[in-house]
Amino acid sequence: MMASPDKSLEAVLDDAVYMPPPTPAIADDPVEAAIPAASLPAAAVAAASPLPDRAPAAASSSSSDSGSESSTSSSPLRPGDLGGDADAGGACLSSSSDDDEERDLVARLRQQLSIGDEAGVQLAKEALLPSFDLAGVAQLIQSGKAKRIICMCGAGISVSAGIPDFRSPGTGLYSQLQKYNLPYPHAVFELSYFEKKPKPFFRLARELFPGNYLPTPTHYFMKLLHDKGLLLRCFTQNIDSLEKQAGLPAEAIVAAHGNFDSAKCIRCARPHPVEHVRQAVFAGDGGNACYCVKKSCGGLVKPEIVFFGESLPPRFWERAPLDYSEADLLIVMGTSLAVHPFAGLIDYVQPHVPRLLVNREKAGEAVFGGGLLGQQKGFTFGAGNYRDALYLGDCDDGVRQLCELLGWQQELDALVAAGRQQLEAAAQQAEAKS
């Protein structure tokens, strides 16, 4: 309902209803990921799947207001819910009448505050953290106020496992793919190119299979959160499956760009065991294509990682609106937050939810939007910050310091040691059988 013209500024603000800000449009760039530079030029570097530009068709056919995981009436998130315009198939965040009401309210606020259209209206908010660093986040967790934590992960959490990111000069994926004589680096992740020339991808796949790398302390930190009943979900861009190898159950993971846990034929959609793909790519000197076992089909089989021209997994669109509405702390680790819709998830938690970025450099910093009261989208680490904590450095160092502040260091070390011992023993057994 619109405020009456004679209402005071305070009353107008009391009537204001928060609306989640839209995020930037989906980017035309593959996601961060991975392969060891040390193994080049024999095979390549690792790669996270490229980003598609749409949600599954079924996911856009209904709507949801529910934030409960057990709700049976809720529908998947749609692309527009995380940014982009309605003309591109996105969902609007408010009705046209709400937009008119919002514009009128903002205009009246600007008039009363004597500011121009070029300025955003910001109001001071009470700090949600005692300090905007690891110590502040540790105090929040110790207070018992963070019991439903979401972790968002990018390629940076796997760097210490020997899996470089996309863009590092000289060692990143884009710097290493020129040996394949590709028309452009991310062609290796394009479905149309894969159908014509599959061997470059399968040469990469030879290095990507789970078991080639060991999880990092950051992966085990998420396992520790899960064991303590504090992890609501891990949303990861990476396709290396290291979260699973660290012991996180499948239910705790949303692989936004797929992974190597399953495979299927791109022609008939027949599921295939991952071992079928493994046998093909490791036969001979590597780089062999893998084909459907159904002889009448003969289509290519690939791991279920997301290529250009493919939709994000339905689980991403289903879980994001439910989990982010329930979260009480967001921890973002090892990602440049440059690719949407994944990057837009940082704005999908409620405005009263603290957020922590653990990264080598700042990422996802705020820009002013045109929403109610000139809302910001992204992190705010300077003036106006009321909830965003920052740690600049390697992810493993960051989580170790956080665990030390929480008194969890010995537990983390024990998880890392036990996990690595178990994985190394399994690798030795597999080698002995072969």
Side-chain angles (χ1 to χ4, degrees), residues 1-4 7 11-12 15-17 97-98 101-102 105 108:
M1 177 182 298
M2 268 312 300
S4 59
K7 272 195 174 183
V12 170
D15 287 343
V17 178
S97 60
D98 290 336
E101 181 175 330
E102 177 182 323
L105 175 59
R108 292 183 57 233

Side-chain angles (χ1 to χ4, degrees), residues 187-207:
V188 73
F189 305 119
E190 283 190 348
L191 195 59
S192 59
Y193 187 85
F194 174 74
E195 291 173 327
K196 297 175 182 177
K197 297 183 178 181
K199 287 190 175 182
F201 169 76
F202 284 113
R203 289 180 65 187
L204 288 176
R206 188 180 174 94
E207 298 295 329

Side-chain angles (χ1 to χ4, degrees), residues 374-390:
Q375 293 168 122
Q376 292 183 0
K377 298 174 289 185
F379 288 117
T380 300
F381 299 120
N385 184 15
Y386 73 100
R387 62 168 173 166
D388 293 334
L390 175 67

